[in-house]
């Protein structure tokens, strides 16, 4: 039975990689997707969590910490204590974002959580047709998410998140509402798991202009494995955005040196941010570290963004009380 489970796990992972490879080949043949740039609230695509980002955002199947609220809310069902999370993200071009959230188990089968995240665009100059500076303006986005997860059995869990969305640019605003729906199956020994998530299923209630845009609907599937004796987690995702090409994510976390964790990852969507003719080969790769100190965990992630610059994330998670 154990051998068969390992065989099925390897088969599913290999199948995911084959699908991802086919998608990557298709992207090379067709450079720009016809639906690219057609969705509103594009900031919803920006990933969160220093640990998950350092692992290439391959987190749909893993989903075992507070950031399951973003990648797969079903993973929240593994929480056994009240926890909080704080994040700061130094993004490209003076853009900055942050997140604050909390997770609370109601009992051994039900968990709730929520987070508030923001993205600040920085300051821009408004000019006339001659280039004369008239004034300055700014913009930003806010998301309030409420999550719930249920664990009807030890191996299977489901969850969902309700997201209220607000966007502002100069004197214009836009609002929206969306839900994420996820499921997760985990081995009884917690050596492997599979996950599936549908993100940003919803609508734009009001827009910056006169026409409302669709939301960036995305389907994520993933798995993780933890082979015996090597103290390492391997994870992989296949992501299908409805407004762009399929891409895949790969991640690894070395736990051999606890309380120090070493992480690395690759996200094939990284090539979308390279300029035409760019020789940059780092976009798409990521790396990071984590460290436990008492009931706190610190994580840092570094993601090069080709000609756009570099991105840095710092996350702090901890438990309430003793």
């Amino acid at each position: 039975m154990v051998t068969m489970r390992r065989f099925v796990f390897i088969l599913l992972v290999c199948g995911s990689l084959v699908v991802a490879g086919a998608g990557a080949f298709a992207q090379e043949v067709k450079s720009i997707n016809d639906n690219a740039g057609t969705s509103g609230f594009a900031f919803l695509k920006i990933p969160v969590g220093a640990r998950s980002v350092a692992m290439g955002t391959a987190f749909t199947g893993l989903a075992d910490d507070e950031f399951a609220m973003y990648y797969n809310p079903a993973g929240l069902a593994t929480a056994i204590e009240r926890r909080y999370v704080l994040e700061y993200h130094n993004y490209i071009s003076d853009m900055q974002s942050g997140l604050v959230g909390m997770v609370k188990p109601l009992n051994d089968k039900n968990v709730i959580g929520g987070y508030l995240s923001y993205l600040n665009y920085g300051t821009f100059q408004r000019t006339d047709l001659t280039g004369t500076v008239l004034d300055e303006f700014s913009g930003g986005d806010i998301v309030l998410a409420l999550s719930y997860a249920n664990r009807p059995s030890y191996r299977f869990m489901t969850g969902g998140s309700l997201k209220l969305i607000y966007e502002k640019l100069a004197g214009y605003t836009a609002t929206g509402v969306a839900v994420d729906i996820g499921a997760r199956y985990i081995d009884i020994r917690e050596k492997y798991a599979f996950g599936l998530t549908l993100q940003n299923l919803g609508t734009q209630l009001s827009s910056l202009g006169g026409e409302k845009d669709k939301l960036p609907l995305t389907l994520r599937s993933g798995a993780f494995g933890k082979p015996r004796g090597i103290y390492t987690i391997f994870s992989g995702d296949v992501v299908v955005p409805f407004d762009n090409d399929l891409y895949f994510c790969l991640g690894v976390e070395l736990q051999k040196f606890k309380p120090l964790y070493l992480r690395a990852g690759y996200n094939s969507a990284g090539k979308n941010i390279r300029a035409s003719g760019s020789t940059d080969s780092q976009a798409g790769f990521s790396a990071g570290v984590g460290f436990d100190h008492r009931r706190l965990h610190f994580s840092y992630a570094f993601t090069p963004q080709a000609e756009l610059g570099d991105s840095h994330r710092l996350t702090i998670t901890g438990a309430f009380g003793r």
Side-chain angles (χ1 to χ4, degrees), residues 106 124 192 226 318:
L106 300 177
F124 303 90
Y192 61 85
K226 190 175 182 180

Side-chain angles (χ1 to χ4, degrees), residues 226-233 253-258:
K226 190 175 182 180
R228 183 185 303 174
I230 64 172
Y231 306 101
T232 304
I233 289 177
E253 180 180 64
L254 181 62
Q255 301 180 340
K256 183 177 178 63
F257 307 108
K258 285 184 179 182

Side-chain angles (χ1 to χ4, degrees), residues 70-85:
Y70 176 88
Y71 294 95
N72 186 351
L76 281 185
T78 61
I80 59 174
E81 60 183 349
R82 288 191 304 157
R83 295 187 62 82
Y84 61 87
V85 56

Side-chain angles (χ1 to χ4, degrees), residues 292-322:
D292 290 324
H293 177 67
R294 296 182 180 178
R295 294 175 66 81
L296 295 175
H297 181 79
F298 301 87
S299 291
Y300 165 78
F302 169 75
T303 49
Q305 305 281 303
E307 286 78 10
L308 298 177
D310 298 326
S311 174
H312 305 268
R313 285 177 177 82
L314 178 64
T315 301
I316 301 175
T317 61
F320 289 97
R322 293 184 176 180

Side-chain angles (χ1 to χ4, degrees), residues 29-262:
V29 175
K30 185 178 180 180
S31 58
I32 300 178
N33 189 289
D34 292 336
N35 293 319
T38 60
S39 297
F41 299 138
F43 69 94
L44 293 173
K45 301 178 183 180
I46 300 175
V48 298
R51 180 190 178 209
S52 46
V53 168
M55 298 177 69
T57 69
F59 214 68
T60 308
L62 185 53
D64 62 351
D65 65 18
E66 297 78 13
F67 288 100
M69 288 186 285
Y70 176 88
Y71 294 95
N72 186 351
L76 281 185
T78 61
I80 59 174
E81 60 183 349
R82 288 191 304 157
R83 295 187 62 82
Y84 61 87
V85 56
L86 304 170
E87 176 170 286
Y88 172 73
H89 179 197
N90 186 5
Y91 203 27
I92 56 177
S93 302
D94 296 326
M95 299 170 66
Q96 301 178 17
S97 67
L99 180 148
V100 57
M102 186 184 76
V103 174
K104 179 182 179 181
L106 300 177
N107 48 48
D108 60 351
K109 292 185 180 294
N110 300 281
V111 178
I112 59 173
Y115 67 86
L116 178 69
S117 67
Y118 76 91
L119 172 64
N120 187 299
Y121 299 159
T123 302
F124 303 90
Q125 291 183 334
R126 193 197 314 267
T127 64
D128 60 19
L129 294 177
T130 64
T132 303
V133 176
L134 301 178
D135 58 13
E136 293 184 342
F137 66 96
S138 62
D141 308 295
I142 297 176
V143 176
L144 173 64
L146 302 175
S147 301
Y148 167 76
N150 173 259
R151 195 170 192 171
S153 67
Y154 186 85
R155 297 185 179 186
F156 185 70
M157 53 201 81
T158 60
S161 294
L162 171 65
K163 298 189 287 192
L164 305 178
I165 310 161
Y166 175 82
E167 185 172 61
K168 181 178 181 180
L169 183 61
Y172 302 91
T173 61
T175 58
V177 60
V179 296
D180 296 347
I181 304 171
R184 186 172 183 256
Y185 175 87
I186 189 168
D187 167 51
I188 192 71
R189 299 169 303 159
E190 300 187 357
K191 293 297 183 181
Y192 61 85
F194 310 98
L196 184 68
T197 308
L198 182 64
Q199 294 179 309
N200 304 319
L201 178 64
T203 185
Q204 194 174 51
L205 301 177
S206 62
S207 64
L208 296 176
E211 184 177 348
K212 297 179 182 179
D213 298 316
K214 61 184 180 181
L215 270 60
L217 187 64
T218 303
L219 179 65
R220 305 181 64 100
S221 62
F224 95 87
K226 190 175 182 180
R228 183 185 303 174
I230 64 172
Y231 306 101
T232 304
I233 289 177
F234 298 94
S235 60
D237 276 17
V238 176
V239 185
V240 184
F242 283 59
D243 62 352
N244 215 320
D245 296 314
L246 174 151
Y247 63 91
F248 67 94
C249 319
L250 300 173
V252 60
E253 180 180 64
L254 181 62
Q255 301 180 340
K256 183 177 178 63
F257 307 108
K258 285 184 179 182
L260 178 67
Y261 302 79
L262 304 178

